[in-house]
Amino acid sequence: MMDLKQIDKQYVANTYARFPVELVKGKGSLVYDETGKEYIDMGSGIGVTAFGIADDEWQAAVTAQLGKLQHMSNLYYTEPCTLLAETLCKKTGMKKVFFCNSGAEANEGAIKAARKYAADKKGPEYFTIVTLINSFHGRTLTTLAATGQDHYHELFQPLTPGFVHAPANDLEAVKSAALENKAAAVMIECIQGEGGVIALEKDFITGLADFCKEQDILLVVDEVQTGNGRTGELYAYMNYGVTPDVVSTAKGLGGGLPLGAVLFGEKTEFTLGAGDHGSTFGGNPVCCAGALSIVNRMDESFLEGVKAKGQLIKDTLQGQPGIEAVSGMGLMVGIKTVKPAGDVVKACIEKGVLCLTAKDKVRLLPALNIPEDLLKKALAVILDCAK
Ligand SMILES: *Cc1c(COP(=O)(O)O)cnc(C)c1O
């Protein structure tokens, strides 16, 4: 392609600081640029291609559905959407699922449900959502308001009102913020992803769950990044032994096609009724057929494998020259390097490994089925670039 990068700069909105790499194809955890150079993919499209690029089973599920029915509106029943909802509920104990197209949209659905639940139950003044400082919940005006990082807010005032931010791991502060502001819900990421791959403390999350239950304030867990096997459990809250009232997810769910979901628990399963919420593309049969092929393979032994590979990453990197600390869970990993993370990521690209950053960390979100030999090869390159 003639100077694709220049054409892109001219015609695509400049909202992304792209790396100077054009990717044309891939298979599993390997991708190739237009010159044929091979890369090990340690980012999986920001935790999206859960089983890698062009995974055979996923591809078969998607193409079979594509040839049958690529879209009907939500005015009708379609099998993939129904079966995916059933599967997600059976695997989590949640009661109902609303499908949408992205993480931000899933959070919008969760927030709407929380507001309606609290208004129905306690009165319309109970609309505030408490979120955590350093959180990330999306780019729409409402999910930006939810995001507890001021620098995302500055250019887009006024944002949706009704959000307050409290410090993570400070249970007393979150409790007072919730009580003083007549909170409808507290919304958290169990591991702050964009915020630097920081897992919240167990006592904080269990204490918060108890408090929310006592006060009938909804516990909403944003599993957009942490969900769908990423941490070695199907959803990250399962690592903490709590039961959320609402779970939002997206990224890895569709295996590479846009799909988000809001999972409603016992308290909220009937909160949104006919006409209260909707989405034209939500629950698209092709996306849902792909998602079914992904979620159905996430059994206990598969998730054990995710945990083992996460441990392998920690064991390989921890204490090595240039590595200050390794954080995260399963295959959601943050690496605090001595050198600036951006420099390490650039050097890795040169050497054929694609990594991400999150704040001041190098972030790894490889495909969950990345073969161990490729993982080890990529870690050797990262170590080499970090030292
Ligand atoms: C990526 C992300 C979002 C936003 O998802 P989009 O699909 O980009 O809208 C929301 N919450 C968390 C925790 C995320 O990591």
Side-chain angles (χ1 to χ4, degrees):
M1 184 67 172
M2 205 199 68
D3 215 2
L4 188 89
K5 287 160 201 151
Q6 277 312 315
I7 300 170
D8 189 281
K9 282 203 173 72
Q10 185 173 350
Y11 291 108
V12 176
N14 301 136
T15 56
Y16 304 104
R18 296 199 206 275
F19 293 110
V21 179
E22 178 195 344
L23 297 167
V24 293
K25 63 173 184 180
K27 189 72 190 170
S29 286
L30 291 173
V31 285
Y32 301 88
D33 71 12
E34 83 284 12
T35 69
K37 179 176 167 183
E38 184 179 275
Y39 300 84
I40 302 173
D41 180 11
M42 294 296 284
S44 67
I46 318 190
V48 167
T49 49
F51 283 75
I53 306 291
D55 169 70
D56 290 333
E57 233 174 277
W58 174 84
Q59 211 182 334
V62 165
T63 49
Q65 185 58 41
L66 200 52
K68 278 196 245 170
L69 182 78
Q70 84 274 32
H71 173 82
M72 280 304 297
S73 86
N74 280 306
L75 297 172
Y76 309 99
Y77 297 93
T78 56
E79 187 180 85
C81 165
T82 307
L83 295 185
L84 180 59
E86 180 190 32
T87 302
L88 289 172
C89 288
K90 289 201 163 151
K91 281 178 176 274
T92 59
M94 301 296 279
K95 300 296 177 198
K96 282 188 169 44
V97 183
F98 175 85
F99 289 111
C100 53
N101 314 286
S102 69
E105 257 186 291
N107 286 335
E108 293 265 351
I111 291 162
K112 282 177 72 173
R115 286 206 169 155
K116 180 154 187 299
Y117 176 85
D120 289 350
K121 202 96 191 259
K122 298 181 178 174
E125 70 277 24
Y126 284 82
F127 57 76
T128 298
I129 315 283
V130 179
T131 65
L132 300 181
I133 292 169
N134 197 47
S135 59
F136 182 84
H137 297 295
R139 301 281 194 168
T140 63
L141 285 171
T142 296
T143 57
L144 272 185
T147 294
Q149 302 187 52
D150 290 341
H151 70 98
Y152 284 111
H153 297 167
E154 281 152 14
L155 302 175
F156 306 106
Q157 297 292 327
L159 301 175
T160 306
F163 290 87
V164 297
H165 309 119
N169 297 323
D170 186 340
L171 186 56
E172 291 313 311
V174 175
K175 282 184 183 177
S176 6
L179 294 174
E180 281 162 21
N181 292 286
K182 296 189 167 36
V186 178
M187 180 157 96
I188 62 167
E189 300 155 270
C190 292
I191 305 174
Q192 295 187 329
E194 304 302 314
V197 197
I198 302 166
L200 299 186
E201 287 163 15
K202 184 151 192 180
D203 288 352
F204 172 73
I205 293 190
T206 52
L208 181 61
D210 291 344
F211 165 77
C212 286
K213 201 169 172 192
E214 272 161 38
Q215 298 292 329
D216 198 9
I217 292 170
L218 298 179
L219 177 62
V220 178
V221 180
D222 177 345
E223 297 263 7
V224 173
Q225 190 163 156
T226 53
N228 313 301
R230 179 54 53 191
T231 67
E233 292 287 344
L234 189 58
Y235 290 97
Y237 72 80
M238 294 168 170
N239 294 294
Y240 291 86
V242 296
T243 307
D245 298 301
V246 181
V247 173
S248 58
T249 191
K251 289 197 169 90
L253 179 61
L257 288 175
L259 182 63
V262 195
L263 280 57
F264 298 111
E266 244 154 46
K267 281 189 179 179
T268 51
E269 66 168 315
F270 299 110
T271 299
L272 295 176
D276 290 340
H277 197 42
S279 164
T280 300
F281 287 117
N284 171 277
V286 177
C287 301
C288 288
L292 262 174
S293 86
I294 297 280
V295 176
N296 276 336
R297 277 182 279 170
M298 290 184 177
D299 58 14
E300 214 149 287
S301 84
F302 178 80
L303 294 171
E304 282 308 315
V306 172
K307 285 189 189 133
K309 280 182 256 185
Q311 194 57 48
L312 172 74
I313 295 176
K314 283 193 174 156
D315 293 344
T316 308
L317 298 181
Q318 250 156 7
Q320 294 302 309
I323 307 291
E324 278 181 15
V326 184
S327 64
M329 257 186 224
L331 288 174
M332 178 169 180
V333 177
I335 311 164
K336 179 82 187 76
T337 48
V338 176
K339 292 183 192 167
D343 294 353
V344 176
V345 169
K346 272 187 201 149
C348 285
I349 291 177
E350 289 295 314
K351 295 192 173 168
V353 173
L354 302 178
C355 304
L356 304 163
T357 58
K359 286 274 174 76
D360 60 346
K361 306 225 177 88
V362 176
R363 176 173 42 157
L364 308 182
L365 297 170
L368 304 180
N369 65 348
I370 185 170
E372 213 174 284
D373 61 322
L374 283 185
L375 181 58
K376 285 181 175 162
K377 244 170 111 177
L379 292 174
V381 169
I382 292 166
L383 279 175
D384 192 39
C385 295
K387 75 177 180 214

